[in-house]
Amino acid sequence: MITIYGSPKSSAGRCFWCLEESGVSYETKTIDFKAGEHKSEEFLKINRNGKVPALQDGDFTIWESLAINNYIADAYKPELLGTTAQERGLVSQWSVWSVADLQVPMIDAFIQLVFVPEPHRNADVIAKAFEKIPVMLASLDAELQGNDFLVADRFTLADLNVSFVVGICDDIKFDLSAYNNINQWRARIAKRDGLQRYKALCK
Ligand SMILES: N[C@@H](CCC(=O)N[C@@H](CS)C(=O)NCC(=O)O)C(=O)O
């Protein structure tokens, strides 16, 4: 049995979505941050860094959301990783870019706009984040010109991981209207049963 630790409404969300795409059955264990459960002796045996998501598959344990998604795909839906060495390389490229580059200003803005109460927000942090996001979205938009998906002609983990991060734009109210290719790509992805099942978990 697979167990995913974390909430679908966190960075674990991309793993819940990947589990839904892979069609595998799993159980969820929510970790109570307020009660310090992520730093409990029991949870530190699962992830010594005290962070979610983490996943157990039988007696195998893995943490770090991108690595978890690679594992889920490799074990249960390998075509999500690409079918050639080149496709797998590009899936990895986009996935790493989504968290190493694109997600950084997105999360800076998210923390300020979602977690910090308005009077205490750091306008400078928000402005800097909003300055960095457009150049990366323009690059993504250009890549999607004439392409339905990021790698090959079908949905892969690259689309899942990158669109998961682009979805933060909805939370921080970043205007995406100038990015036609991104909007069409998101609309294409939004029709997926796997994504709809994942979104239902977030309600
Ligand atoms: N790079 C990690 C980030 C994990 C992470 O920071 N998770 C947060 C929740 S979204 C967490 O567990 N924070 C608890 C803490 O930092 O003490 C991943 O993508 O899995």
Side-chain angles (χ1 to χ4, degrees):
M1 174 48 104
I2 293 180
T3 304
I4 173 96
Y5 294 82
S7 154
K9 294 190 210 170
S10 71
S11 60
R14 59 170 73 83
C15 304
F16 281 85
W17 181 9
C18 192
L19 284 163
E20 292 297 338
E21 289 287 343
S22 74
V24 71
S25 61
Y26 62 94
E27 62 176 21
T28 305
K29 285 206 179 141
T30 308
I31 296 297
D32 185 345
F33 280 83
K34 284 197 182 126
E37 208 182 334
H38 56 311
K39 305 294 178 196
S40 67
E41 201 180 323
E42 196 188 345
F43 186 71
L44 291 175
K45 284 185 198 146
I46 294 158
N47 182 357
R48 68 173 78 251
N49 301 303
K51 293 188 181 209
V52 294
L55 179 139
Q56 285 185 310
D57 187 359
D59 57 9
F60 172 71
T61 302
I62 183 166
W63 42 263
E64 233 358 282
S65 56
L66 279 191
I68 292 171
N69 277 3
N70 271 13
Y71 171 74
I72 296 165
D74 200 4
Y76 299 104
K77 191 100 178 188
E79 62 265 36
L80 282 176
L81 288 175
T83 54
T84 63
Q86 284 79 10
E87 283 184 10
R88 286 190 289 275
L90 292 176
V91 166
S92 172
Q93 165 199 284
W94 282 109
S95 299
V96 172
W97 176 80
S98 73
V99 296
D101 287 9
L102 183 62
Q103 185 174 270
V104 176
M106 294 273 196
I107 292 293
D108 286 347
F110 182 87
I111 289 168
Q112 292 297 320
L113 294 166
V114 177
F115 290 141
V116 177
E118 201 166 350
H120 302 295
R121 284 181 193 156
N122 185 329
D124 197 37
V125 170
I126 299 170
K128 283 206 175 99
F130 272 60
E131 256 171 52
K132 287 180 187 159
I133 294 168
V135 68
M136 289 187 269
L137 290 181
S139 146
L140 177 62
D141 199 70
E143 186 70 24
L144 287 165
Q145 177 66 41
N147 294 316
D148 283 354
F149 297 103
L150 279 171
V151 178
D153 54 0
R154 62 193 180 280
F155 180 85
T156 66
L157 210 44
D159 302 291
L160 188 157
N161 288 326
V162 176
S163 69
F164 182 79
V165 175
V166 171
I168 300 171
C169 287
D170 301 337
D171 305 307
I172 62 173
K173 301 194 172 32
F174 184 93
D175 182 10
L176 282 172
S177 58
Y179 305 96
N180 285 335
N181 298 319
I182 291 179
N183 290 323
Q184 285 166 21
W185 168 72
R186 290 185 83 199
R188 222 168 276 131
I189 293 171
K191 292 186 192 133
R192 297 188 65 78
D193 292 346
L195 178 57
Q196 292 184 14
R197 284 195 298 272
Y198 159 61
K199 292 233 158 164
L201 299 173
C202 298
K203 285 184 182 146

